[in-house]
Amino acid sequence: MEAMKPYPDKEVWFVAGSQHLYGPEAIQKVARNMQVIASGLDADPQIPCRILAKSVVTTPEAIRRVCLDANNSPACVGLIFWMHTFSPAKMWIAGLRDLIKPFLHLHTQFNRDLPWDSIDMDFMNLHQSAHGDREFGFICARMRLRRKVVVGHWEDPEVRRQIGVWARAAVAWDDAQDLRIARFGDNMREVAVTEGDKVEAQIRLRYSVNGYGLGDLVKKVQDVSDLEVERLIREYEEQYDVVPELRPGGSRHEDLREAARIELGLRAFLEEGGFKAFTDTFENLHGLRQLPGLAVQRLMAEGYGFGAEGDWKTAALVRAVKVMGKGLPGGASFMEDYTYHLDPAGMKVLGAHMLEVCPTIAAGRPSLEIHPLSIGGKEDPPRLVFDAAAGPALNVALLDLGNRFRMLINEVEVVPPDRDLPRLPVARAVWRPLPDLKTAAAAWILAGGPHHTAFTQALSPEYLEDFAEMAGIEFLHIGPHTDLHQFKKELRWNEAAFGS
C-alpha cells in the first residue's frame, strides 16, 4: 500500500513549455513525457505533496490561464516549470507577471543519455531543454522573479530531494497566507527585539497578529469541566513519567489539574478562533493561577507556533518549521540562548526557557514535574523536563530591522550535557554552534540576532533559504564555513540589496 504523503491535500502543478512550431505529434510526445515525469515525482516519498501534470502550454493565453488557475486553487502551493522544447519567453511575460504562487524551474530533460548512434534532428528538435530553459531563465532574470532552479535528470535522487525541500517550503508559505497569531498580553516591557511592525508583517509575510484580553482566555479556562480535566490527566499519565506529588492523591495534584484546565481552555480558544500560533507573557497573567507551561509545551507538540514574552515573529517561525518538518525525523520548538559553557576545550550553549520547550525534541520520555517559578508572581507551574536529542539542528530567527525583515540561521550540533543537571527544573538543549561559539555568536550579534529562536532538528538550511526566497526577505546563514570578515561584507551588501 502506498504511504500517505504528509500533505495529501496539497498539490504542486507540473507545467511544460513548448510551441506550435514543431507540429501536433511533437506536442503529444511532450505531453506524454511530462506525464511520465510528473508521475515519477509524485510517487517519490521524498516529495511530500501531490505532483500533478497540468498542461503543455504553447501560447501566451494558455500560460496566463494556468498561472491564474494556480493562483485561485486552494490546493496548489506552487508550480514546476520545465521547457521540454524551446518556448519563446515573451509568451511567458503575462502569466509570470500575474503569478503569485511560488515556482521552481526544473532544468532537466526526459532522456538521461544521448542516443549516440541514432540521434537525428527530430530528436534534437524535441529535446531542447538545454537552450529552452535558458530562454525561460532569461525572462525570469529580466523580470527579477524569485524562484528556485534545480538542475539534473528528473530520476536523480538528489534532484528529487531538492524538489522535496522546495515543496515543503511552499507548503509552509501557503500555510502562512492565512496564519492567525493570538497574543495574550503585549511584549515584555522595554524589550526591543521582540517588537516589530505587525502591519508590514501582514503585507510582506501574510501573518495576521492581534491581541486578546486575558479575560477572554480566563473565561475559556473557567468553562472547562472536571470530566475533561480527568481525561487529560489520564493522558498525561500515559505519555509522561509523572512525579508522585502530581499523581492523584499526591500533595500537588490540584496544581496539575489547574495546568490541565489551562491547557483545555487555551486549546479551545485557539481552535475557536482558527489560530495556528500564539504568544503570552509572564507580565500579564491576570486571572490565571499559573504561567502556562505544560499547556504551551503540548500545544507546540501538536503543531502550534509559540513565542514567549509577546514574541509573535518567533511564534510564526515555530509554526513554519513545524509545517515544513511534518513527517521528518526530529522535532521543533521555541528556544532561547540562555547561558554559556566557555571552557576553551569545548565551548557550548545551554538553550532553554522558563517552561516552554516542546517535547518533540526530547531524547527520551519526558518527566512531568512541578517546581517554583521565580518570576510572574503566580503559583508553581507543572512542566515537562527533558534533555534534547543529540544531533544536528538549526536555530532560526526572524527580526525586524525597520526597513525589512531578516531571517538568520545558525547550524548547531546538539550534544549531551557534560554532567547531569539535577537542580535545573526545565527542558533544555546543549549545543555547539558552528563553526564555533566565538565566530557564531559574533556573527549573530553583528546581524542583530535575537535571543529567541525557532529550534529545529528536522530541517537543513536549504528549507529556510527556499522559504525566505518565497517570502522575498533577506537570508543570512551562519554555518561551518562562516568567516567573520566575509560575513561583515555580506551584511553591507545586503544593506544595499534589501535596504531600499
Side-chain angles (χ1 to χ4, degrees):
M1 182 177 178
E2 184 179 345
M4 178 73 75
K5 288 183 176 289
Y7 319 107
D9 59 338
K10 294 301 179 181
E11 304 166 354
V12 169
W13 290 4
F14 193 93
V15 178
S18 188
Q19 59 177 328
H20 287 297
L21 178 66
Y22 309 108
E25 184 178 347
I27 299 301
Q28 290 169 8
K29 290 180 179 178
V30 170
R32 288 196 296 270
N33 291 348
M34 178 188 69
Q35 182 65 60
V36 170
I37 295 177
S39 296
L41 297 178
D42 183 60
D44 195 299
Q46 294 188 93
I47 298 176
C49 57
R50 299 297 313 279
I51 304 290
L52 299 184
K54 206 60 185 175
S55 57
V56 178
V57 290
T58 56
T59 66
E61 294 76 20
I63 293 167
R64 185 166 183 264
R65 188 179 311 117
V66 76
C67 291
L68 293 176
D69 287 347
N71 289 346
N72 293 321
S73 169
C76 178
V77 299
L79 302 95
I80 296 174
F81 293 131
W82 169 52
M83 305 303 115
H84 191 306
T85 69
F86 193 79
S87 181
K90 288 173 67 176
M91 297 196 305
W92 287 84
I93 292 174
L96 292 175
R97 179 198 60 212
D98 293 340
L99 181 65
I100 60 174
K101 297 286 176 80
F103 71 92
L104 179 149
H105 182 186
L106 179 58
H107 185 40
T108 190
Q109 61 185 28
F110 183 71
N111 59 300
R112 192 193 71 175
D113 301 332
L114 284 176
W116 299 101
D117 297 330
S118 61
I119 188 169
D120 56 18
M121 285 310 299
D122 288 339
F123 181 94
M124 297 278 280
N125 286 334
L126 184 62
H127 300 277
Q128 297 187 56
S129 301
H131 65 288
D133 278 325
R134 282 171 167 79
E135 168 77 355
F136 182 75
F138 166 76
I139 204 62
C140 293
R142 177 67 176 80
M143 296 176 71
R144 308 314 194 255
L145 298 176
R146 301 188 298 272
R147 76 279 193 200
K148 183 172 187 172
V149 179
V150 176
V151 180
H153 191 253
W154 57 275
E155 290 181 309
D156 181 349
E158 172 59 17
V159 166
R160 294 182 172 192
R161 185 199 67 77
Q162 291 180 58
I163 294 171
V165 168
W166 173 85
R168 285 180 174 277
V171 172
W173 180 241
D174 177 75
D175 181 76
Q177 303 308 296
D178 61 354
L179 176 59
R180 302 188 66 208
I181 303 173
R183 300 178 75 230
F184 301 107
D186 202 351
N187 298 78
M188 182 177 171
R189 300 179 192 111
E190 304 294 348
V191 174
V193 75
T194 54
E195 293 283 0
D197 187 337
K198 294 188 287 293
V199 174
E200 185 62 24
Q202 190 160 354
I203 294 169
R204 171 68 66 181
L205 302 171
R206 311 296 191 264
Y207 308 151
S208 172
V209 186
N210 287 293
Y212 296 86
L214 259 293
D216 298 329
L217 174 58
V218 169
K219 179 65 166 60
K220 290 292 184 186
V221 172
Q222 292 171 341
D223 288 344
V224 172
S225 70
D226 289 342
L227 181 60
E228 290 175 291
V229 169
E230 288 157 11
R231 287 174 182 161
L232 190 54
I233 295 290
R234 288 195 292 271
E235 188 174 318
Y236 295 163
E237 292 171 339
E238 292 170 1
Q239 294 183 5
Y240 315 121
D241 293 332
V242 184
V243 296
E245 59 264 37
L246 289 177
R247 291 183 174 274
S251 61
R252 307 301 299 271
H253 182 64
E254 283 304 313
D255 295 291
L256 185 59
R257 291 181 64 85
E258 184 62 22
R261 197 176 300 277
I262 291 173
E263 177 183 337
L264 290 162
L266 181 53
R267 182 181 287 106
F269 185 97
L270 297 173
E271 289 177 350
E272 184 178 297
F275 301 104
K276 301 174 187 175
F278 65 102
T279 73
D280 64 16
T281 175
F282 65 89
E283 292 179 328
N284 191 345
L285 296 173
H286 184 71
L288 293 178
R289 288 169 50 187
Q290 304 169 3
L291 173 65
L294 180 60
V296 171
Q297 291 178 294
R298 286 174 48 83
L299 286 165
M300 274 196 286
E302 294 174 16
Y304 285 94
F306 172 76
E309 291 123 32
D311 189 352
W312 53 270
K313 299 188 296 300
T314 302
L317 266 188
V318 172
R319 170 65 184 179
V321 298
K322 283 186 172 290
V323 171
M324 275 186 265
K326 184 178 180 182
L328 295 176
S333 180
F334 173 79
M335 187 59 72
E336 178 172 276
D337 293 68
Y338 224 102
T339 191
Y340 289 142
H341 178 69
L342 294 178
D343 181 352
M347 295 186 179
K348 305 179 183 75
V349 179
L350 192 153
H353 204 254
M354 293 178 293
L355 303 172
E356 310 96 336
V357 176
C358 179
T360 60
I361 70 170
R365 183 177 167 97
S367 174
L368 179 49
E369 306 176 9
I370 185 168
H371 301 276
L373 184 65
S374 59
I375 61 176
K378 295 292 181 176
E379 297 174 8
D380 299 345
R383 80 291 301 270
L384 299 174
V385 178
F386 54 85
D387 291 312
L394 296 177
N395 279 315
V396 188
L398 182 67
L399 50 147
D400 184 347
L401 293 176
N403 59 354
R404 67 188 186 279
F405 290 100
R406 167 180 287 165
M407 181 178 286
L408 179 63
I409 72 165
N410 184 200
E411 295 184 67
V412 304
E413 185 71 24
V414 180
V415 297
D418 290 3
R419 291 187 291 276
D420 290 340
L421 301 163
R423 294 174 60 82
L424 185 62
V426 293
R428 59 267 177 162
V430 178
W431 64 77
R432 289 194 298 261
L434 299 180
D436 57 74
L437 190 148
K438 286 186 176 181
T439 302
W444 191 271
I445 290 168
L446 284 167
H451 53 288
H452 290 167
T453 62
F455 173 92
T456 172
Q457 303 160 322
L459 306 178
S460 68
E462 186 179 358
Y463 293 87
L464 281 306
E465 185 172 9
D466 286 352
F467 183 87
E469 188 75 28
M470 293 171 191
I473 61 175
E474 181 185 2
F475 176 81
L476 286 170
H477 175 192
I478 303 168
H481 306 296
T482 295
D483 173 84
L484 277 179
H485 180 69
Q486 289 299 121
F487 191 80
K488 289 177 183 178
K489 288 183 179 180
E490 188 174 358
L491 289 173
R492 297 186 190 105
W493 297 333
N494 285 3
E495 192 64 39
F498 292 92
S500 59

